[in-house]
């Protein structure tokens, strides 16, 4: 009986605040406040409040909350240890995917069954050619920071 009275009072207060908010021409906020304020009355009318009041004073219910708390604590502890180890779930997932996609023989220098590549002994026997660097890449070497300036000076004959 007390819970129903408290819920009704909370709803009445919420509807009063919603009316004041609507009077100030903030209709969207007033509607949202009215929606929240009708929830306690709805819970009382559906019987949820009686059900919650009935289970709130049982020791088995509090034991269940304790078990849920312990499980949450264990979950958070494992997450903290996982973060300290430096690997994330995404990194482990990518490592597993890479392990499945690339099967490498123990003495091979390249995957024997690469995705989209040619498989077989002829493809494995050919050494892979490295692409040749372009002139711009050579000019942008760390020692040649002034290559653009040198080109301008040569253009003007200096």
């Amino acid at each position: 009986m007390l819970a129903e009275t408290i819920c009704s009072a909370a709803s009445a207060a919420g509807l009063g605040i919603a009316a004041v908010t609507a009077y100030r021409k903030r209709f969207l906020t007033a509607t949202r406040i009215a929606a929240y304020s009708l929830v306690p009355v709805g819970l009382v009318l559906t019987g949820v409040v009686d059900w919650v009041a009935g289970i709130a004073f049982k020791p088995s219910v509090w034991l269940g909350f304790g078990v849920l708390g312990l499980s949450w604590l264990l979950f958070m502890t494992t997450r903290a240890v996982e973060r300290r180890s430096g690997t994330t779930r995404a990194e482990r997932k990518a490592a597993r995917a890479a392990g499945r996609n690339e099967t490498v023989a123990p003495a091979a220098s390249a995957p024997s069954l690469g995705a989209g590549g040619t498989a077989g002994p002829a493809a494995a026997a050919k050494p892979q050619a490295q692409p040749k660097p372009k002139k711009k890449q050579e000019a942008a070497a760390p020692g040649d920071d002034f290559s653009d300036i040198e080109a301008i000076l040569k253009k003007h004959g200096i």
Side-chain angles (χ1 to χ4, degrees):
M1 186 75 166
L2 181 63
E4 290 86 356
T5 305
I6 291 171
C7 288
S8 298
S11 290
L15 289 173
I17 292 170
V20 170
T21 306
Y23 179 74
R24 293 180 180 171
K25 306 245 188 264
R26 299 183 71 194
F27 298 111
L28 185 64
T29 305
T31 305
R32 190 173 294 128
I33 292 170
Y36 281 125
S37 68
L38 290 174
V39 169
V41 169
L43 291 175
V44 167
L45 292 175
T46 58
V48 173
V49 173
D50 288 333
W51 177 74
V52 170
I55 66 168
F57 299 109
K58 292 182 182 176
S60 61
V61 172
W62 290 104
L63 184 63
F65 282 123
V67 169
L68 287 175
L70 177 65
S71 105
W72 178 80
L73 180 69
L74 291 173
F75 179 70
M76 288 299 148
T77 303
T78 58
R79 295 282 294 175
V81 169
E82 182 179 75
R83 286 186 179 153
R84 282 188 167 217
S85 68
T87 60
T88 62
R89 231 181 281 165
E91 289 173 348
R92 288 192 309 272
K93 187 176 179 182
R96 280 195 305 264
R100 280 189 298 236
N101 291 340
E102 297 184 29
T103 307
V104 179
S109 62
S112 57
L113 298 174
T118 57
K126 290 183 184 178
Q128 294 180 349
Q130 295 292 330
K132 295 183 180 179
K134 297 179 181 176
K135 269 192 170 183
K136 275 194 170 185
Q137 289 176 346
E138 290 176 0
D144 296 330
D145 290 339
F146 300 105
S147 61
D148 295 340
I149 298 171
E150 289 176 355
I152 293 170
L153 292 174
K154 285 181 184 179
K155 180 180 175 184
H156 292 288
I158 301 176

